[in-house]
Amino acid sequence: TREFGNEKLPNQVLSDLLWAAFGINRPDSGGRTAPSTRNWQDIDIYVATADGVYLYDAKANALSRVLAQDIRAQTGTQDFVASAPVNLVYVSDFSRMSGETNVQDQKLAAAIDTGFIGQNVYLYCAANGLATVVRGSVDSENLAKTLQLKTTQLIVAAQSVGYPKQ
């Protein structure tokens, strides 16, 4: 879906969505709702909304503000991303990939792990009447500068979420 209504997602819906995406569902071991290569848990989810950008903290199932500005338009090259209520940005941190130094293998692991998380978002959205689309069309260099990412971090993809346009 590439057409979204303007309605903001309620905080509880956003919280449930992020937990389904990559939350902790086995507190004793720190296991997540999506698998991750070698359990590196290298993917961070940045949440861009009209109110700012937040980083999802799975341990606390909470958001911490990273930026106070609306950068949704920077999360993709298509026009609709600027007005989608939520844009998730999946960022892999290669520094968490202990023992792996081959960049191609790191990128492959990051892409696979992002795919699992994105699919969880699709399933949550399908079950809860939300619309979503994963996007690879992102000006990663510009967005990485805006998010002040480290050189070990790579933007893998983004995913827009909202209520379907009526």
Side-chain angles (χ1 to χ4, degrees):
T1 301
R2 289 170 173 79
E3 294 185 13
F4 301 90
N6 294 328
E7 185 180 351
K8 182 179 176 180
L9 269 61
N11 289 340
Q12 189 61 56
V13 170
L14 183 57
S15 176
D16 293 346
L17 170 77
L18 292 167
W19 179 86
F22 202 42
I24 294 176
N25 64 350
R26 288 160 282 155
D28 293 344
S29 67
R32 302 288 190 98
T33 58
S36 128
T37 304
R38 298 187 193 173
N39 198 30
W40 283 324
Q41 299 182 12
D42 60 292
I43 304 298
D44 287 317
I45 303 174
Y46 287 81
V47 182
T49 70
D51 300 327
V53 181
Y54 303 85
L55 181 60
Y56 176 58
D57 176 350
K59 289 179 183 169
N61 194 38
L63 294 173
S64 58
R65 183 174 269 182
V66 175
L67 294 171
Q69 65 218 51
D70 181 358
I71 66 154
R72 290 177 295 166
Q74 290 183 46
T75 67
T77 59
Q78 300 97 333
D79 291 340
F80 67 86
V81 301
S83 61
V86 172
N87 286 293
L88 306 175
V89 179
Y90 301 119
V91 176
S92 177
D93 189 340
F94 290 3
S95 71
R96 296 185 200 154
M97 295 180 175
S98 60
E100 184 57 65
T101 57
N102 182 299
V103 174
Q104 285 304 105
D105 288 346
Q106 290 173 324
K107 287 182 179 180
L108 179 60
I112 291 169
D113 295 349
T114 295
F116 291 131
I117 295 166
Q119 185 60 40
N120 280 0
V121 171
Y122 268 101
L123 291 170
Y124 180 87
C125 289
N128 290 280
L130 296 172
T132 190
V133 64
V134 169
R135 303 173 285 94
S137 299
V138 178
D139 180 350
S140 296
E141 188 176 322
N142 183 43
L143 184 55
K145 286 178 187 173
T146 299
L147 294 174
Q148 300 176 352
L149 298 182
K150 301 178 289 188
T151 58
T152 60
Q153 293 177 292
L154 173 75
I155 295 171
V156 181
Q159 187 167 12
S160 299
V161 178
Y163 290 101
K165 187 174 186 177
Q166 299 296 323

